[in-house]
Amino acid sequence: MKKILAVVCAVLAGVALADLKKDAKKNLEWFPKEIREAEPVDVKRFDFAPGVEYGYVYCNKLFGHPGDVHAVRIEIEKAKLRPTIREGAFLPGDDKKGRLMTTSAAAAANKALFGTNGSFFKWTELKPFYGCKVGDKIGPEKCNGGCGFAFKADGSKMKVGRIKKEELADWDGFLFGECVASKGKCSLDWKRPEGFKTKPEAPRTAYGQDAEGKYVWIFVTGGRKCGKKPSMGLSYMDVADLGLWFGCAEVVNMDGGGSTTLVVNQQALKKAKAKKPYSGESHPAEGAGNGYEILNCTSDGKERAVLDQILFLSASK
């Protein structure tokens, strides 16, 4: 009897592995060869909405160690999105702690389709570490010549890369990040806080764009061994290479670590699951009933409240 069970289990395992390889081969057409060669063991793909594609991959040897990547590709003209920044430094009142908000809560407050955490901020002062622009307001730090994510509020234009001071008037929103790749090459042209490590491996949030300006990419990675499957995180240079693999000419690193969060509206996710079943590891957003779900594994074990978020609203809202 035990021998029969062993044979059955072996057969089922073989079938499961074959199905996994078949599924991976089908979905990995969306991913660069460098990831296809990194021993992928879990691959998912579906669309949040027209023009907004989502892909997930977990590899045994991503940059030489276990790791995962959540990638969102926005086709700007087709997506019909309205980007916005929820920027805590501009909130009224003297309660600085009240300026912090989780990404899912910010998404819920703005009825966003999906969103990520934003840029670095000073914990002691609760203000942006780098420059930003929200509407007609410019943050406390200078934005001159800074790299980041810029957009028109109606979603007609988005840019990842360097924005000169004289160009700020052309954009309704801008959030500074750290340039890790520019013009299709890795770059060390980022400003670092004093004492900041040049190559830490950690969870990451990054934005990228192709040379033609047709797509905006969002990359969110795990790290610090969180979740059921260990994910060791990426260094700055790994993030640069990752964006370049996917065809980005510009890659900007946003706040990472425990701040890294990718949330999506649960109704949109439900529709996506119905079209293409999603069996990957996902994590309910903090605050039951807020209607959003975290797709990445947060390294704190729960969602962290942060100063700012980049949110994408449906143009129909």
Side-chain angles (χ1 to χ4, degrees), residues 14 52 115 161 164 166 183 210 230 251 253 280:
V52 185
K164 297 179 181 179
E166 57 269 25
K183 297 180 180 178
D210 61 303
V251 184
N253 181 66

Side-chain angles (χ1 to χ4, degrees), residues 77-97:
E77 291 188 1
K78 185 178 179 181
K80 308 301 181 184
L81 295 173
R82 293 190 295 117
T84 188
I85 296 172
R86 182 266 172 192
E87 214 295 297
F90 292 143
L91 292 181
D94 297 324
D95 181 12
K96 291 184 177 180
K97 290 185 178 179

Side-chain angles (χ1 to χ4, degrees), residues 8-310:
V8 171
C9 289
V11 171
L12 291 176
V15 172
L17 182 60
D19 288 343
L20 174 61
K21 289 182 177 180
K22 182 179 179 181
D23 182 61
K25 183 177 181 180
K26 179 181 178 181
N27 287 288
L28 277 178
E29 295 174 359
W30 198 55
F31 295 91
K33 66 179 181 63
E34 290 86 353
I35 287 183
R36 295 198 299 269
E37 296 170 354
E39 297 186 13
V41 294
D42 190 7
V43 181
K44 308 297 173 191
R45 178 186 174 186
F46 49 76
D47 301 343
F48 287 162
V52 185
E53 299 174 275
Y54 167 79
Y56 167 80
V57 63
Y58 179 89
C59 297
N60 281 330
K61 292 186 178 180
L62 184 65
F63 295 100
H65 52 64
D68 63 357
V69 177
H70 299 263
V72 179
R73 186 174 74 171
I74 303 169
E75 187 174 352
I76 298 173
E77 291 188 1
K78 185 178 179 181
K80 308 301 181 184
L81 295 173
R82 293 190 295 117
T84 188
I85 296 172
R86 182 266 172 192
E87 214 295 297
F90 292 143
L91 292 181
D94 297 324
D95 181 12
K96 291 184 177 180
K97 290 185 178 179
R99 298 175 182 178
L100 298 178
M101 184 180 289
T102 64
T103 302
S104 66
N110 287 272
K111 298 181 179 179
L113 176 62
F114 66 98
T116 71
N117 64 296
S119 190
F120 298 84
F121 61 97
K122 299 179 181 180
W123 281 94
T124 54
E125 303 173 46
L126 290 186
K127 69 177 185 179
F129 193 92
Y130 299 121
C132 59
K133 178 185 179 183
V134 182
D136 60 349
K137 299 179 181 179
I138 297 178
E141 303 288 332
K142 293 182 179 179
C143 306
N144 188 25
C147 285
F149 174 63
F151 56 85
K152 298 291 289 185
D154 62 3
S156 59
K157 291 177 62 179
M158 301 183 202
K159 180 179 179 180
V160 177
R162 190 170 299 280
I163 304 294
K164 297 179 181 179
K165 187 175 182 180
E166 57 269 25
E167 296 176 323
L168 279 176
D170 298 332
W171 302 97
D172 297 317
F174 170 71
L175 196 58
F176 201 114
E178 298 176 325
C179 178
V180 294
S182 182
K183 297 180 180 178
K185 297 181 180 180
C186 290
S187 171
L188 296 178
D189 183 26
W190 65 71
K191 296 181 180 179
R192 297 192 299 268
E194 185 177 351
F196 198 78
K197 295 180 181 178
T198 58
K199 202 175 180 182
E201 292 181 340
R204 296 289 174 198
T205 301
Y207 279 64
Q209 191 167 36
D210 61 303
E212 293 74 27
K214 182 178 180 181
Y215 298 102
V216 164
W217 291 85
I218 301 171
F219 303 105
V220 172
T221 71
R224 298 175 181 167
K225 300 182 180 181
C226 64
K228 297 177 181 178
K229 298 187 291 290
S231 183
M232 305 302 291
L234 303 183
S235 70
Y236 277 23
M237 299 310 294
D238 292 341
V239 172
D241 284 336
L242 179 68
L244 296 176
W245 290 351
F246 276 89
C248 295
E250 305 289 333
V251 184
V252 174
N253 181 66
M254 309 306 281
D255 196 6
S259 298
T260 286
T261 313
L262 171 62
V263 302
V264 62
N265 180 283
Q266 287 179 335
Q267 290 301 314
L269 187 61
K270 185 177 180 180
K271 292 179 181 178
K273 287 180 179 179
K275 292 181 180 179
K276 291 185 178 181
Y278 176 78
S279 58
E281 180 184 356
S282 59
H283 305 266
E286 185 178 279
N290 70 359
Y292 288 81
E293 190 164 324
I294 304 172
L295 293 186
N296 66 298
C297 175
T298 56
S299 66
D300 287 353
K302 63 178 182 179
E303 190 179 4
R304 178 184 292 182
V306 295
L307 186 65
D308 47 47
Q309 293 87 9
I310 300 174

